[in-house]
């Protein structure tokens, strides 16, 4: 499946104008150029784009899920993707770590870059990409393994051996999600015994254990109660010091609480993208205003 | 109108359906427990020492034996009176020709239970019922009737039984090993002769052959010396006053059922059960134990599980994880499911044709040419029987594994992919460990089916009486080419192929109970293992 998707991607890339074919990370000035050249006005606020989406079209078979989306995501900031169900925000999120490759019959056009490197290029090792772009899912999905092994899993598949170093990383990751004190005495127990917001925090620990550069969060709190949600949100604030966070959420308050930038999407299109304060206080588009004030969605 | 309304209410309340479904379950449970009770009572009831009755007939004859059954005589034209008859196990087959006799109750004058009646379980000719007359040792009378010195009998019997056990041990181990070596050497010499090898090697082989021959003669002498020690004879008086000399070495057990206390009976019952489970069969399987059959069954089931599990799991993983889901895969799936409905004898025929003749024949030609024309793998054996059953149970394992795969949430795989795991790593580290309970479920079902299957085995390697177990002390220890005994076949053989059906009947039930218990035991261990896995999480165990 990976191969097919990569093939599609490569094919689409060939159709793009020549300058966008350059996918080397060493050309530092390019993101700046791209922003000024092609991005809509609202993106100008972003200074150092880390994740760069340009004219992205995405199709599930015949259905188009993303329509000409362009946005730039800044490093060490939290970017929220909001919008009604089916607007394509999850699809966009899953483009960043090529999780969409797992779906048959998809097609991608446009450009998507991580630190200047084309994500959907044929040369990209998907395994390596996913190591750099971690993901947390809507429903917590710990493996049917021990708590320790859950956190160590990513490291193990990237070749880590058991030992003090691994123990240390596991401990650090669990401390980073404030789970260490709760589970340090039962690391060998199955992760399914965790309750409330613990499994989701474990999943976050699992994702950050491999030290990704970007952390994608797909409605991470939608299955949690307010107290667990508050803990996760607090965590997101801390995470952005080390990681670039992209979060999909249905919860408008959450978006305004945790994010620095917000992108509002509607029917596969990016309607508005900018500083969260601006989007929530003074949006440019009427649709955005309608959505955040709860008139629809 | 009102009546109609109330009827509607009853139906809509759902109660009748609850009763109906509950009733169906109750019926099934009743049938199953009924089966189990009948089998257990008949099987182990036969182990319980029954009292020996002395029946005096109007004709003056006397019959001594156990009353087995009482049944109504089918009414005939001549008499319409309701009459009963008794089935009596009188034993003494060497005197009277048959173990069992039917006696009309009308002919019986008197029934008594004399304390001094003795039952002797013999190695040959079945039980003997009678009264002890004299005990002889080297033709000297050691004890006579009524002089109360039967303790001597017990002592002498214990000694002789000990010697008999030693002889058996030698026969089973040393003599068998020696025979095995001789056979190997014989083949070697034959081979050397055919190749026209150097005379030095041939000479050395022949020399070794001579040494083995000497060893054999020595062993035979030792056995002969032991046999010389067996010279006790018990003279018994049967019910009809005939005298019968029984060598002590022939006696398995001797007891006075009517004089035994309840505890003694229980003890004897326990002894018999142990003998049944751990001894070799006697008297064309109608007496003795079924140990070789237990061994063969368990070994075959284990071999089958070892073969079918990886094969089935891998096939299921390919079907569900890798194959492109389409018409062809659906067709394969339907075919696999239908394979489970193919009569087992068809698998047996396939096993005979493919495994035994084609595969086994080729193996013989390639590796065991020197043994030909005697087939090694080219004839039925435990390996081929296990493989045939593995084929038979393959659909069970595939279906169970596929269901397990379908039940593993997509999110689990996605989590693994999102961490950068490849498909192989995800399958190996996440999917398969989560799959273990389903695989075990498949195995449990496969074992239950395989342990009870008889038809395909009959043509792929099961025999009525196997001379040796498939595992023994002779190199290479595992002899997968050997024929073996099986509890399921044992039931069929003892129940329907036995020359002495009445005597064999308890064995049929007891063997059935044993087979059920073994299946239960195998399954229980798998179920406990599965439950443990679910409880502790999979990483701890794997």
């Amino acid at each position: 499946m990976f191969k097919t998707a990569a093939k599609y991607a490569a094919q689409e890339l060939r159709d793009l104008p020549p300058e966008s074919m350059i996918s080397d990370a060493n050309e530092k000035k390019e993101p700046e150029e791209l922003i000024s050249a092609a991005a809509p006005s609202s993106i100008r606020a972003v200074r150092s784009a880390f994740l760069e989406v340009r004219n992205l079209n995405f199709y599930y078979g015949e259905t188009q899920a993303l329509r000409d989306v362009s946005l730039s995501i800044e490093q060490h900031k939290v970017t929220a993707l909001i919008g009604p169900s089916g607007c394509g925000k999850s699809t966009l999120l899953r483009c960043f770590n090529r999780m969409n490759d797992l779906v048959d019959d998809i097609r991608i056009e446009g450009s998507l870059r991580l630190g200047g490197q084309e994500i959907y290029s044929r040369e990209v090792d998907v395994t390596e990409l996913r190591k750099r772009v971690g993901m947390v899912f809507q429903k917590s999905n710990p493996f049917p393994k021990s708590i320790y092994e859950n956190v160590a899993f990513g490291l193990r598949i990237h070749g880590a051996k058991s030992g003090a170093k691994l123990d240390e990383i596991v401990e650090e990751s669990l401390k980073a999600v404030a789970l260490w004190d709760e589970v340090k005495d039962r690391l060998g127990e199955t992760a399914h015994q965790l309750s409330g917001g613990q499994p989701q925090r474990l999943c976050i620990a699992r994702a950050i254990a491999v030290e990704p550069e970007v952390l994608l969060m797909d409605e991470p709190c939608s299955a949690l109660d307010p107290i667990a949600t508050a803990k996760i949100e607090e965590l997101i604030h801390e995470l952005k010091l080390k990681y670039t966070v992209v979060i999909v959420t249905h919860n408008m308050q959450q978006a305004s609480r945790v994010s620095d930038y917000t992108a509002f999407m509607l029917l596969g299109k990016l309607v508005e993208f900018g500083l969260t304060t601006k989007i929530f206080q003074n949006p440019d588009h009427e649709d955005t205003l309608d959505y955040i004030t709860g008139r629809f969605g | 109108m009102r009546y109609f309304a109330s009827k509607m209410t009853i139906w809509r309340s759902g109660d009748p359906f609850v009763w109906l479904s509950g009733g169906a379950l109750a019926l099934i449970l009743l049938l199953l427990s009924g089966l189990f009770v009948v089998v257990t009572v008949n099987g182990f009831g036969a182990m319980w020492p029954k009292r020996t009755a002395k029946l005096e007939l109007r004709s003056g004859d006397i019959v001594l034996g156990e009353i087995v059954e009482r049944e109504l005589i089918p009414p005939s034209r001549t008499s319409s009176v309701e009459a009963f008859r008794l089935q009596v196990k009188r034993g003494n087959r060497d005197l009277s020709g048959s173990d069992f006799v039917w006696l009309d109750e009308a002919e019986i004058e008197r029934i008594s239970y004399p304390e001094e009646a003795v039952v002797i379980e013999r190695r040959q000719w079945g039980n003997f019922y009678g009264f002890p007359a004299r005990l002889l040792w080297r033709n000297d009378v050691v004890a006579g009737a009524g002089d109360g010195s039967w303790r001597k009998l017990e002592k002498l019997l214990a000694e002789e039984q000990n010697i008999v056990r030693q002889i058996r041990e030698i026969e089973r181990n040393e003599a068998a090993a020696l025979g095995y070596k001789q056979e190997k050497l014989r083949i070697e010499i034959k081979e050397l002769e055919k190749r026209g090898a150097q005379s030095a090697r041939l000479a050395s082989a022949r020399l070794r052959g001579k040494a083995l021959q000497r060893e054999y003669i020595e062993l035979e002498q030792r056995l002969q010396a032991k046999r010389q020690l067996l010279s006790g004879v018990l003279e018994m008086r049967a019910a009809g006053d005939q005298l019968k000399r029984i060598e002590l070495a022939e006696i398995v057990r001797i007891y006075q059922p009517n004089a035994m206390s309840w505890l003694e009976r229980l003890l004897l019952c326990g002894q018999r059960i142990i003998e049944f489970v751990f001894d070799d069969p006697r008297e064309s399987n109608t007496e003795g134990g079924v140990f070789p059959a237990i061994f063969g069954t368990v070994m075959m089931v284990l071999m089958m599980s070892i073969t079918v599990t990886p094969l089935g799991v891998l096939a299921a993983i390919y079907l569900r994880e890798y194959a492109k889901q389409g018409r062809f895969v659906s067709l394969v799936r339907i075919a696999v499911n239908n394979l489970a409905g193919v009569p087992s004898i068809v698998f047996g025929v396939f096993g005979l044709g493919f495994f035994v003749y084609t595969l086994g024949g080729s193996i013989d030609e390639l590796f065991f040419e020197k043994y030909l024309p005697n087939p090694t793998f080219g004839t039925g054996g435990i390996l081929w029987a296990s493989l045939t059953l593995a084929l038979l149970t393959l659909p069970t394992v595939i279906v169970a594994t596929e269901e397990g795969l379908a039940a593993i949430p997509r999110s689990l795989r996605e989590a693994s992919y999102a961490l950068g795991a490849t498909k192989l790593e995800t399958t190996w580290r996440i999917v398969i460990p989560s799959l273990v309970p389903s695989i075990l479920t498949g195995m449990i079902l496969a074992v239950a089916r395989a342990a009870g299957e008889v038809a395909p085995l009959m043509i792929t390697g099961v025999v009525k009486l196997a001379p040796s177990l498939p595992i023994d002390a002779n190199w290479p220890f595992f002899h997968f080419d050997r024929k073996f005994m099986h509890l399921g076949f044992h039931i069929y053989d003892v129940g329907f192929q036995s020359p002495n059906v009445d005597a064999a009947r308890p064995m049929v039930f007891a063997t059935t109970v044993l087979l059920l218990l073994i299946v239960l035991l195998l399954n229980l261990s798998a179920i406990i293992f599965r439950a443990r896995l679910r409880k502790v999480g999979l990483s701890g165990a794997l």
Side-chain angles (χ1 to χ4, degrees):
Chain A
M1 270 190 282
F2 293 167
K3 256 186 212 150
T4 1
K7 195 177 73 199
Y8 275 129
Q11 197 181 340
E12 302 309 333
L13 284 172
R14 246 174 272 130
D15 302 331
L16 286 171
E19 63 264 25
S20 68
M21 294 266 303
I22 305 154
S23 57
D24 290 336
N26 51 14
E27 293 194 37
K28 290 259 158 59
K29 57 174 186 175
E30 207 188 26
E32 294 288 338
E33 274 178 18
L34 283 173
I35 296 161
S36 50
S41 59
S42 58
I43 298 179
R44 286 207 192 95
V46 179
R47 282 175 304 275
S48 59
F50 185 59
L51 268 170
E52 179 73 45
V53 184
R54 208 162 70 93
N55 307 110
L56 190 71
N57 286 302
F58 187 94
Y59 304 86
Y60 290 114
E62 293 301 306
T63 326
Q64 190 168 3
L66 294 175
R67 290 164 195 273
D68 200 31
V69 171
S70 296
L71 84 163
S72 298
I73 288 165
E74 204 180 337
Q75 204 162 8
H76 298 308
K77 289 280 187 284
V78 178
T79 306
L81 306 178
I82 61 169
S85 294
C87 72
K89 54 193 189 307
S90 279
T91 303
L92 177 60
L93 194 75
R94 282 164 173 258
C95 282
F96 291 132
N97 64 347
R98 288 182 61 166
M99 278 307 265
N100 288 322
D101 288 9
L102 301 174
V103 185
D104 285 332
D105 202 18
I106 57 156
R107 202 151 56 85
I108 295 159
E109 293 166 1
S111 161
L112 226 155
R113 293 178 181 207
L114 170 66
Q117 192 178 16
E118 192 64 54
I119 289 175
Y120 277 88
S121 145
R122 196 201 291 263
E123 287 82 36
V124 165
D125 176 5
V126 182
T127 306
E128 201 54 38
L129 171 76
R130 289 182 184 150
K131 197 184 159 197
R132 291 176 67 190
V133 184
M135 189 165 191
V136 176
F137 294 83
Q138 180 172 3
K139 214 169 152 280
S140 67
N141 48 4
F143 299 130
K145 293 170 177 288
S146 68
I147 293 168
Y148 182 95
E149 284 304 322
N150 260 280
V151 182
F153 181 82
L155 294 156
R156 283 199 196 279
I157 57 170
H158 293 297
K161 298 271 178 292
S162 300
K165 181 88 181 108
L166 192 63
D167 293 348
E168 197 182 306
I169 297 174
V170 169
E171 183 178 338
E172 270 172 24
S173 308
L174 285 170
K175 275 180 177 161
V177 297
L179 199 59
W180 175 252
D181 290 330
E182 294 164 50
V183 301
K184 66 181 173 202
D185 300 323
R186 47 185 183 130
L187 290 173
E189 283 175 33
T190 169
H192 287 162
Q193 289 178 348
L194 298 174
S195 61
Q198 286 177 334
Q200 192 61 299
R201 277 188 282 155
L202 180 70
C203 291
I204 297 174
R206 181 174 69 187
I208 63 176
V210 293
E211 303 205 305
E213 294 161 48
V214 181
L215 196 58
L216 309 173
M217 299 181 126
D218 193 354
E219 299 184 45
C221 303
S222 66
L224 300 179
D225 63 63
I227 293 167
T229 302
K231 276 191 182 166
I232 304 261
E233 285 180 8
E234 201 178 307
L235 185 59
I236 293 171
H237 278 298
E238 283 164 28
L239 288 174
K240 79 174 177 186
L241 299 175
K242 277 182 86 177
Y243 312 102
T244 305
V245 179
V246 184
I247 179 169
V248 164
T249 178
H250 263 143
N251 184 330
M252 232 64 63
Q253 282 76 31
Q254 185 172 59
S256 67
R257 277 195 301 263
V258 301
S259 68
D260 302 302
Y261 296 94
T262 299
F264 172 62
M265 294 178 72
L266 189 61
L267 299 170
K269 281 188 190 137
L270 179 66
V271 176
E272 194 167 351
F273 176 52
L275 285 165
T276 301
T277 43
K278 179 167 186 310
I279 296 271
F280 278 89
Q281 282 159 19
N282 186 21
D284 290 337
H285 286 260
E286 214 163 295
D287 285 338
T288 316
L289 187 67
D290 287 351
Y291 183 71
I292 59 176
T293 51
R295 236 166 277 168
F296 78 94
Chain B
M1 196 62 206
R2 200 182 146 73
Y3 170 66
F4 179 72
S6 77
K7 222 173 128 184
M8 279 303 287
T9 328
I10 284 174
W11 183 245
R12 293 188 63 181
S13 73
D15 284 351
F17 189 68
V18 174
W19 283 103
L20 194 69
S21 48
L25 182 67
L27 186 71
I28 289 164
L29 287 179
L30 206 68
L31 286 173
L32 283 179
S33 51
L35 171 83
F36 197 73
V37 166
V38 164
V39 168
T40 315
V41 166
N42 277 295
F44 287 111
M47 303 280 173
W48 186 259
K50 280 204 195 74
R51 291 197 298 168
T52 301
K54 183 181 177 189
L55 301 105
E56 291 164 53
L57 306 185
R58 287 189 200 287
S59 61
D61 289 343
I62 295 171
V63 176
L64 192 68
E66 294 166 18
I67 298 171
V68 179
E69 209 178 326
R70 178 173 185 262
E71 70 166 34
L72 191 68
I73 301 171
S76 63
R77 253 169 279 160
T78 49
S79 75
S80 56
V81 192
E82 205 174 69
F84 287 88
R85 61 182 178 183
L86 297 177
Q87 190 187 26
V88 179
K89 184 180 182 183
R90 62 172 168 181
N92 306 11
R93 203 184 322 148
D94 39 352
L95 296 178
S96 52
S98 70
D99 287 294
F100 290 82
V101 67
W102 285 100
L103 299 171
D104 287 356
E105 269 188 349
E107 291 172 25
I108 297 169
E109 181 90 52
R110 213 155 61 90
I111 299 179
S112 60
Y113 296 93
E115 291 234 324
E116 64 276 16
V118 160
V119 181
I120 300 176
E121 289 177 24
R122 297 180 289 181
R123 289 190 207 288
Q124 280 173 348
W125 301 106
N127 286 1
F128 189 93
Y129 296 85
F131 303 95
R134 289 192 304 172
L135 178 64
L136 299 111
W137 199 72
R138 301 223 162 129
N139 293 329
D140 297 332
V141 177
V142 179
D147 66 357
S149 52
W150 287 105
R151 280 179 193 284
K152 281 190 183 148
L153 172 65
E154 276 171 28
K155 205 174 140 237
L156 217 53
L157 191 62
E159 272 170 23
E160 295 220 346
Q161 276 178 335
N162 202 14
I163 295 167
V164 168
R165 209 169 298 129
Q166 287 170 6
I167 291 172
R168 300 219 142 192
E169 210 88 314
I170 291 170
E171 277 172 349
R172 194 182 304 170
N173 298 331
E174 295 178 46
L178 211 56
Y180 192 76
K181 274 188 213 156
Q182 273 182 323
E183 176 64 14
K184 284 253 148 137
L185 199 66
R186 188 184 69 78
I187 299 288
E188 199 186 320
I189 290 173
K190 201 175 106 189
E191 184 82 351
L192 285 170
E193 277 170 353
K194 202 164 72 185
R195 274 194 302 180
Q198 298 133 314
S199 51
R201 284 184 63 187
L202 199 58
S204 99
R206 282 194 176 129
L207 218 61
R208 269 185 290 149
K210 290 233 170 65
L212 280 180
Q213 191 61 36
R214 271 199 301 281
E215 240 182 279
Y216 190 78
I217 291 166
E218 226 170 81
L219 194 71
E220 197 52 52
Q221 280 166 353
R222 259 169 66 204
L223 284 173
Q224 202 53 47
K226 293 243 181 223
R227 287 197 193 103
Q228 294 273 308
L229 295 173
L230 304 171
S231 47
V233 170
L234 183 63
E235 226 173 44
M236 292 290 292
R237 195 158 45 78
D241 265 351
Q242 300 125 299
L243 279 178
K244 171 79 192 166
R245 286 163 65 93
I246 299 170
E247 287 175 29
L248 290 188
E250 283 288 298
I251 295 173
V252 177
R253 192 175 291 123
I254 177 163
Y255 58 95
Q256 291 180 299
N258 297 341
M260 282 166 89
S261 71
W262 189 81
L263 202 69
E264 283 169 325
R265 277 164 204 259
L266 197 70
L267 218 67
L268 181 61
C269 184
Q271 271 178 15
R272 279 178 168 176
I273 291 175
I274 289 170
E275 180 194 271
F276 177 67
V277 174
F278 293 104
D279 262 14
D280 287 346
R282 295 193 311 264
E283 288 289 280
S284 68
N285 295 353
T286 57
E287 279 172 32
V290 292
F291 181 73
I294 297 174
F295 191 92
T297 308
V298 172
M299 183 167 166
M300 186 208 63
V301 166
L302 289 181
M303 281 173 70
M304 177 226 58
S305 307
I306 289 168
T307 327
V308 74
T309 312
L311 204 64
V313 170
L314 288 177
I317 285 178
Y318 187 82
L319 268 182
R320 177 72 59 177
E321 299 277 302
Y322 290 98
K324 196 167 156 50
Q325 304 297 318
R327 191 176 296 238
F328 182 68
V329 169
S330 302
L331 247 140
V332 170
R333 207 164 273 145
I334 290 167
V336 165
N337 283 324
N338 278 310
L339 213 57
V342 173
S344 54
I345 188 71
V346 175
F347 282 99
V349 173
F350 175 79
L352 183 71
F354 179 70
F355 290 130
V356 177
Y357 291 152
T358 311
L359 220 57
S362 312
I363 289 173
D364 275 1
E365 270 172 32
L366 285 174
F367 303 107
F368 299 96
E369 206 192 342
K370 53 189 174 183
Y371 293 101
L372 288 173
N374 290 340
T376 308
F377 279 100
T379 177
I382 191 161
L383 177 67
W384 302 139
S386 305
L387 289 186
T388 306
L389 282 193
L391 213 61
L392 179 91
T393 50
L394 201 55
T396 325
V397 175
I398 292 180
V399 169
T401 310
E402 267 214 275
E403 277 169 12
L405 277 169
I408 293 173
R410 195 191 149 83
S411 68
L412 217 55
R413 290 166 222 243
E414 282 191 339
S416 170
Y417 291 136
L419 285 165
T422 59
K423 181 141 190 159
L424 180 67
E425 283 164 340
T426 305
T427 304
W428 194 245
R429 290 171 185 246
I430 301 297
V431 172
I432 291 183
S434 317
L435 206 57
V436 172
S438 310
I439 296 172
L440 284 173
T441 304
M443 258 178 74
I444 290 167
L445 293 172
V447 164
R449 169 129 201 237
E453 206 55 78
V454 177
L457 302 178
M458 287 165 73
I459 49 177
T460 53
V462 150
V463 283
K464 181 185 171 74
L465 189 67
S468 45
L469 297 176
I471 297 178
D472 63 18
N474 298 318
W475 200 85
F477 310 120
F478 291 89
H479 306 278
F480 295 134
D481 55 316
R482 283 197 186 156
K483 294 188 188 301
F484 65 108
M485 289 173 73
H486 182 269
L487 285 171
F489 181 72
H490 202 77
I491 293 169
Y492 167 73
D493 176 66
V494 171
F496 303 100
Q497 305 288 299
S498 169
N500 196 352
V501 179
D502 282 321
R505 198 165 47 178
M507 289 290 277
V508 173
F509 286 112
T511 312
T512 310
V513 176
L514 209 60
L515 183 57
L516 286 178
L517 284 179
I518 283 174
V519 174
L520 202 71
L521 213 71
L522 285 169
N523 282 349
L524 213 62
S525 46
I527 288 167
I528 289 169
F529 182 57
R530 186 176 61 183
R532 250 181 61 99
L533 278 186
R534 281 187 178 144
K535 214 171 92 189
V536 302
L538 298 157
S539 64
L542 295 168

